Amino acid sequence: MDTNIESHLKETRVFQPSPAFAKKARIGSLTKYRRLYRESIAHPEKFWAREAKELTWQKPWNKVLEWKAPFAKWFVGGRLNVAENCLDRHLHGSRRNKAAIIWEGEPGEKRVLTYQQLHRDVCRFANVLKRNKIGKGDRVIIYLPTIPEAAIAMLACARIGAVHSVVFGGFSADSIRDRIADCGATAAITADGSYRRGAIVPLKHNVDEALKGKTSIKRVIVFRRAGNDIHIEEGRDVWWHRELEYVDANCPAVALDSEHPLYILYTSGSTGKPKGILHTTGGYLVGTHTTYKYVFDLRDEDIYWCTADVGWVTGHSYVVYGPLAAGATTFMYEGAPNWPEPDRFWRIIEEYAVSILYTAPTAIRTFIRWGDEWVKKHDLSSLRLLGSVGEPINPEAWMWYHKVIGGGRCPIVDTWWQTETGAIMITPLPGATPTKPGSATLPFFGIDAAVVDEKGREVGPNVGGKLIVRRPWPSMLRSIYGDRSRYKKQYWSEFKGSYFTSDGARRDKDGYFWIVGRIDDVLNVAGHRLGTSEIESALVSHPKVAEAAAVGRPDEIKGQGVVVFVTLKSGVTPTPNLKNELRSHVGTQIGAIAKPDEVRFAEALPKTRSGKIMRRLLKEIASGQTVTGDTTTLEDFNVLAKLGSAEE
Ligand code: 7RM
């Protein structure tokens, strides 16, 4: 039997980089990209060493890579400090007084921190950490809203060599407790509360709950954000602003080994407990800095806005570390996109003249659902580049992003990567790569990505298989915290010497990568293996559909039947007729084999906080089971409750 994933959806539109964009870009043609890519694969260490030299090293490395598969060390023997590279490095020239962070709170407050101010704030807060007996190697939980203090706390940890683990604001007390227990954190940094759709999320209260019973946490530092009443545990809790009264701004950056841990970030495993993905110092910084520079083709005058929460890896690599290492102005917004009205994002872009917008398909589909009139009210002509991350972007959502947000003028970089990869891996370069809606296009420099069959053999054009990376790269995870054997088993055991991503993909005749979904989610219908993304994209291309999730459920005859959960655009009424219409629509778009056995309308789909559809839960619902397994990363439990009785 053929075990490869089949592909049926053909997308033929191609968008060339505009000559004006290409002329100014670092990589201004596909030929130049291909030449550099070839060189970077022939001599990866040379490529990465050249990039690493753009950063400040307190001691140079003596070896670029030490690879004892599957354990890598990058820039061996080198010493550096991430905070020094993100801050001190920019204080000598004209960037000193450039905005590092521009922030807007949900209720509307505005703050600007220049590189000089941010440096001072980070140094002072690093001294607060020291005063509270937090030092090199200690694990610190950060549970904060998307406010400048989140970046300040992360950078302050980095400055003294403490290891941060950011937990999404909004995760429950249970998830905080699990993460503390797993990494043995001794301190937590939080806020009294944060704003979400006008309400206050009681962050400090959640931390209090998480610390009940036995805990390794000895100190909690509380930032006053929302002014809500909180409990202060004498001897354990201190106020951020009070602590600042005791410190000065003199805090030299500690010279850390290139492999010193920088952070642990938890991602949900499909079963079992969340995995603490471990990133270290030198390689991570080189990876995020290099990708940031080339993928967003940064200009000094850009205002760059990545809408990710700091609790997601995208918030680490492309709100904080990548942009600040590159001396960019990074914009942060605390709240919801529909507060007070569904045009908050467009209002922000107009007011601050944002030039680069990096957001997720889930957000784009939501905006489409809310209607174009919210966008049309605003002048978005400051935008010059758009980015997408987090899920495959459905071609119709790509087209909408291109036309309605980008005014047909902005390149779109659809960037594929993972918490584990630390930095962008497959992506267009905006001045070089012709784009195709729905494809993340080509691998970044130094990244040897391939699509293979069960035996690890590379498959031919348009044959689906497993996405792997055949050699180490600087920003790769170093381990799962405290579990080297799980690291080895999870990522490096399926294909010898290669990293297995858990994603399915195909490459087209031009070598472009198309991610077809997670391998665990692949459907098996009468011997045909179908990725989720094509069925979902076919549904999203129907004018009445906003969002769709395809899952399999046991079927006596076919092995699996296809069940799709669909949310409709505002104002569309769900009817039995529409269900039939959608079934035939998938039939014509993809073929009879992918035709859903059942269409279920839903008000909303269950998602993670970073907006990924949780198909695992839908699969259980579709087959009539109760939902089991890890739901700690679910964004909104109400969605799940409503889906149980999903029929209209
Ligand atoms: C950055 C991030 C990783 C998983 C990954 C994919 C999916 C992310 C894209 C994408 C298609 C993309 N880290 N994914 N980006 N799929 N096209 N551009 O999302 O650890 O939270 O998730 O997300 O399945 O394996 S993550």
Side-chain angles (χ1 to χ4, degrees), residues 44 49 57 75 109 114 138 185 194 250 411 440 492 516 522 524 581 589 621:
W57 294 79
F75 308 107
E109 315 93 311
T114 64
D138 292 342
S194 74
N250 179 20
W492 299 92
V516 303
V522 166
N524 199 332
E581 197 177 315
Q589 294 280 305
I621 292 172

Side-chain angles (χ1 to χ4, degrees), residues 6 51 74 300 404 538:
E6 297 173 18
E51 292 297 331
W74 282 88
D300 233 337
V404 181

Side-chain angles (χ1 to χ4, degrees), residues 46-88:
K46 196 171 147 202
F47 171 79
W48 290 116
R50 193 173 67 220
E51 292 297 331
K53 280 190 186 132
E54 292 189 10
L55 298 169
T56 301
W57 294 79
Q58 296 184 354
K59 180 174 169 281
W61 60 88
N62 30 52
K63 201 171 168 204
V64 177
L65 170 66
E66 187 187 294
W67 179 226
K68 292 187 182 139
F71 298 99
K73 288 185 178 162
W74 282 88
F75 308 107
V76 185
R79 290 189 162 267
L80 77 165
N81 186 288
V82 166
E84 179 181 25
N85 274 283
C86 290
L87 302 168
D88 311 48

Side-chain angles (χ1 to χ4, degrees), residues 312 389-392 414-419 503 515 518 612:
W312 182 21
V389 57
E391 288 179 294
D414 173 1
T415 61
W416 178 89
W417 58 293
Q418 306 176 302
T419 307
D503 279 353
I515 309 299
R518 305 289 286 178
K612 289 190 219 307

